[in-house]
Amino acid sequence: MVKPFIAQVPYSEDHPHVLAIYCSDGRFTDAVEELASHLGHERIDTLTLPGGPGLLNRWSADYLESDMVTRAARFLIQGHDIQEVLLLAHAGCGYYRVRHGALGPEYVAEQQIKDLKDAARELTQAYPGLTVHTYFVRPHGKQIHFELVDP
């Protein structure tokens, strides 16, 4: 029998009170966790799928995708007593490139920012008191920049 891998990170019974919703592109995972730590969050819940928070926008995502992500977000927000949400979209997103790439990178970025704002508005309307932060994430050489998006 193969011995199990045992993580050095201790298990905690308490759920984090911040949820990060972002694209599943692994090039940004560590940077998102670093941002959360910078903001004072030791641990985060995550909801990561291609397109990230864009899937919360029922007008731009497929209805079934949007419904599934909206229900998952509701489960986490209510079940884990989430107080704060980080919504992040990133430049060069394959999900958006497939859907809107023919219209050019500027249009794609504009749509992503619109979707971030719409998702933030929907969450704050559905969950009064919830704090929502929106970021557009761009690689700059070997660095990753998080640009705060005004609601």
Side-chain angles (χ1 to χ4, degrees):
M1 184 167 149
V2 178
K3 291 183 180 180
F5 171 79
I6 300 173
Q8 297 301 303
V9 177
Y11 173 74
S12 173
E13 289 283 334
D14 300 324
H15 290 288
H17 293 287
V18 64
L19 169 64
I21 302 175
Y22 61 102
C23 184
S24 56
D25 188 328
R27 297 175 294 176
F28 299 96
T29 302
D30 291 342
V32 170
E33 291 180 3
E34 184 179 344
L35 170 69
S37 177
H38 170 77
L39 296 173
H41 305 291
E42 186 176 314
R43 297 178 301 118
I44 58 173
D45 275 356
T46 63
L47 182 53
T48 56
L49 290 164
L55 297 172
L56 291 169
N57 184 347
R58 295 182 190 272
W59 302 108
S60 96
D62 176 87
Y63 176 78
L64 293 176
E65 291 172 329
S66 180
D67 183 59
M68 187 271 301
V69 172
T70 299
R71 286 187 291 117
R74 179 176 55 236
F75 173 82
L76 291 169
I77 291 168
Q78 293 175 342
H80 293 183
D81 191 30
I82 296 295
Q83 305 296 311
E84 192 171 341
V85 174
L86 309 175
L87 300 176
L88 305 107
H90 70 89
C93 181
Y95 173 87
Y96 278 89
R97 190 173 51 250
V98 167
R99 290 192 178 236
H100 307 292
L103 300 171
E106 284 97 26
Y107 176 85
V108 171
E110 288 173 13
Q111 184 63 47
Q112 288 176 279
I113 290 170
K114 180 185 178 310
D115 288 347
L116 280 170
K117 291 178 179 185
D118 289 344
R121 188 170 36 259
E122 286 195 27
L123 287 174
T124 55
Q125 286 175 352
Y127 307 98
L130 185 68
T131 301
V132 179
H133 305 280
T134 53
Y135 293 92
F136 193 77
V137 185
R138 296 180 202 265
H140 288 272
K142 295 285 186 186
Q143 295 183 320
I144 298 174
H145 293 200
F146 290 84
E147 301 167 5
L148 196 58
V149 174
D150 291 328

